[in-house]
Amino acid sequence: MNPASVGPSDTPDPQVPAGYFDAASTLPLRASARQALLAALDQGFADPSRRYHDARRARTLLDQARESVAAVVGARPDDVSFATSGTQAAHLAVLGLAKGRGRVGRRILVSAVEHSAVMHAANASPDAVTETIPVDAYARVTRQSVDEAVAPGDVALVAIQSANHEVGTRQPIDEIGQTLAPHNIPLVMDAAQTLGRDDVPTGWNILTGSAHKWGGPAGVGLLVIRQGTRWRSPLPEDLHEGGRIPGFVAIPQIVAAAVALQEAESERHEESDRLRRLTMRLRNELPTLIPDSVVLGHPDDRLPHLVTLSVAYVPGEAVLAEIDRAGFAVSSGSSCVAESLTPSHVLVAMGALTQGNIRISLPPRTRESDVDRFMSILPAIISSVRESLGAGDL
Amino acid sequence: MTIDGHYDVVLDERGTVCPMPIIALAKQTKQTPEATILLLADDPAAASDIPAWCAMRSRVLIAAGNAADGHGQAYLIAPAQDSALDIL
């Protein structure tokens, strides 16, 4: 009996279907968050800025949610604002810093492997010039590459994710923060893959995140701006969320998001050790089971729940369809899967094979028996897709 | 920029998409392991996948550039020089 297949965390969360291995895209709502959401729909409906009983109760719920999220990310409650999505948070982080620092610098430096939300916001910043910081073959930004990128000066901001969403490599955020601090250059960190799953680095000035990725509801993003950061809203004036996020605040969803993050945090250490052993097994065993395949990303300094593999001579789309038929949900950065029909910019930037790309991201409480079953079906799927293309014996 | 260099075989994979250009390259390599291959392709994934495949299969991408007739890209792929033999 394998130790990872016993114990309390072996009980699958009733919300997560067995074989759902796309946790990096989204998670179903945690049971605790669902309860909190239902309670807060009744108790937190009122406008928190008003002066009556229901308003005060709504405000208390919002304050408590803010405090609990602030403690997890390592910030003051006043630094935390709730956006309507992780994408909105990323857009506002970049656009607002570019605006606030427009007189100091015009260059926006983003790692070549950022989420597209960050890339698009950088490209949409008026009067700014976007440049990418190259990564190594593990998709990692090095401190040296950041040093070289900032050396010419005129920098508005640097945006580097906490860890890569496609291949799982952690970025050396704390080191990069030390490089940038003496120049007073703010660092935007997209922490979408890290929150609730891994240690949150400290070297950032603005942090963004997305609640549905840690088992909270969709419709809640995190925009955390440390005191003293020169950020100015790029949007029309509005007083909600400290003037950072326009519109009526979705208190029930925010309460549910905070409860889900708290739960993810409380089980994270035990859970991440367990998931890391499962993903390490996948990393070690899949390339031996599938000839001409390669696992991507850093071997050790990586997210606990995510494994990515590229397989030669197969289209990602066909492989995903067969994997789905076998009862598993995974994603792919291959060109045939993308609407644009171009391969993922992350895979291209790291010089990786882009065909037959399979990202496996394990939700909390994944059972080892499901991982075993996945490893038992994948080699035959690859063989049959290769056979169908006349590539069975290369 | 077009590319120059000696080659033994031309594979025209223009109009096919991932993973077909790499499958053609692997098949040709299996048939004629000593040959230097000029691969023509216009699939956007080929630009990444050809060097990645070469690294995986110990081949060398000698040059890459625009195809001579202006349609798509050309990649010149050769067997790796065996450095141990060079030393002997």
Side-chain angles (χ1 to χ4, degrees):
Chain A
M1 195 80 195
N2 199 303
S5 59
V6 295
S9 57
D10 193 40
T11 323
D13 195 311
Q15 278 78 39
V16 185
Y20 180 79
F21 287 179
D22 196 20
S25 291
T26 192
L27 284 176
L29 192 63
R30 286 169 179 268
S32 58
R34 181 187 300 262
Q35 265 183 354
L37 176 65
L38 290 174
L41 282 169
D42 294 328
Q43 293 167 25
F45 74 92
D47 183 341
S49 67
R50 301 297 183 222
R51 306 295 169 111
Y52 40 77
H53 172 77
D54 287 326
R56 280 191 295 276
R57 193 164 61 172
R59 190 159 62 245
T60 304
L61 286 173
L62 181 58
D63 289 346
Q64 285 168 350
R66 202 183 305 283
E67 280 163 24
S68 115
V69 168
V72 171
V73 302
R76 304 175 323 136
D78 284 352
D79 299 343
V80 176
S81 38
F82 293 104
T84 59
S85 68
T87 297
Q88 189 201 35
H91 288 174
L92 290 176
V94 171
L95 289 167
L97 259 185
K99 183 174 182 184
R101 289 189 35 98
R103 279 192 299 183
V104 184
R106 293 187 323 115
R107 297 170 64 222
I108 296 179
L109 307 178
V110 299
S111 91
V113 295
E114 288 305 296
H115 190 277
S116 56
V118 173
M119 298 287 197
H120 291 152
N123 291 330
S125 298
D127 308 321
V129 184
T130 303
E131 296 167 39
T132 53
I133 303 172
V135 295
D136 65 15
Y138 294 136
R140 186 136 79 157
V141 176
T142 62
R143 184 175 181 162
Q144 192 192 346
S145 60
V146 175
D147 277 335
E148 286 167 12
V150 302
D154 194 28
V155 181
L157 67 107
V158 173
I160 299 175
Q161 61 203 181
S162 52
N164 185 261
H165 50 295
E166 289 189 34
V167 299
T169 300
R170 289 178 182 143
Q171 302 294 355
I173 291 294
D174 293 336
E175 274 182 37
I176 291 166
Q178 285 166 19
T179 290
L180 299 179
H183 304 286
N184 291 316
I185 297 171
L187 176 62
V188 175
M189 180 179 78
D190 162 18
Q193 287 301 331
T194 295
L195 291 169
R197 294 195 170 107
D198 202 8
D199 293 334
V200 181
T202 57
W204 50 272
N205 300 87
I206 299 187
L207 172 150
T208 64
S210 176
H212 71 87
K213 290 193 191 288
W214 67 65
V220 179
L222 270 190
L223 175 64
V224 187
I225 304 179
R226 285 206 204 278
Q227 193 176 27
T229 307
R230 284 173 63 166
W231 182 91
R232 280 180 59 201
S233 175
L235 299 177
E237 187 173 327
D238 187 278
L239 295 177
H240 293 98
E241 288 298 281
R244 292 170 174 177
I245 314 291
F248 192 76
V249 183
I251 291 177
Q253 290 87 332
I254 289 167
V255 168
V259 166
L261 183 59
Q262 196 108 66
E263 183 179 80
E265 272 299 299
S266 68
E267 67 183 28
R268 166 165 87 76
H269 289 285
E270 193 184 332
E271 204 41 39
S272 67
D273 285 351
R274 217 176 58 81
L275 293 182
R276 189 174 295 280
R277 288 199 319 98
L278 296 178
T279 53
M280 282 300 175
R281 275 197 58 200
L282 288 161
R283 276 184 74 90
N284 293 334
E285 294 174 35
L286 285 177
T288 68
L289 297 169
I290 301 167
D292 292 315
S293 68
V294 56
V295 287
L296 306 178
H298 198 278
D300 312 308
D301 198 4
R302 53 184 299 101
L303 291 168
H305 63 293
L306 196 156
V307 181
T308 307
L309 179 79
S310 282
V311 182
Y313 319 133
V314 293
E317 195 174 28
V319 172
L320 252 54
E322 291 302 318
I323 291 175
D324 175 39
R325 211 160 294 158
F328 291 94
V330 297
S331 69
S332 171
S334 292
S335 56
C336 48
V337 178
E339 272 175 48
S340 60
L341 295 180
T342 56
S344 134
H345 69 275
V346 171
L347 301 177
V348 171
M350 61 197 281
L353 190 72
T354 72
Q355 59 192 237
N357 183 256
I358 304 167
R359 181 185 72 175
I360 305 149
S361 52
L362 303 180
R365 303 174 209 183
T366 299
R367 293 181 303 192
E368 182 151 29
S369 56
D370 290 328
V371 172
D372 285 333
R373 199 164 67 82
F374 182 78
M375 284 199 278
S376 74
I377 57 122
L378 190 59
I381 286 175
I382 300 298
S383 297
S384 82
V385 174
R386 282 177 174 168
E387 292 290 342
S388 73
L389 295 173
D393 56 349
L394 296 176
Chain B
M1 188 190 88
T2 57
I3 61 172
D4 300 321
H6 158 81
Y7 52 85
D8 306 304
V9 185
V10 180
L11 289 177
D12 191 346
E13 285 295 316
R14 289 175 294 190
T16 74
V17 295
C18 167
M20 300 320 283
I22 300 294
I23 291 177
L25 176 60
K27 278 185 177 165
Q28 187 63 51
T29 302
K30 194 179 173 191
Q31 276 172 24
T32 56
E34 300 306 318
T36 294
I37 299 167
L38 182 72
L39 174 63
L40 304 172
D42 52 13
D43 173 34
S48 309
D49 282 356
I50 290 169
W53 179 86
C54 285
M56 199 162 91
R57 295 298 290 260
S58 302
R59 311 297 287 187
V60 183
L61 177 61
I62 298 172
N66 294 329
D69 63 6
H71 298 289
Q73 282 72 50
Y75 303 88
L76 198 56
I77 297 124
Q81 295 300 317
D82 191 329
S83 54
L85 285 177
D86 286 347
I87 292 164
L88 288 172

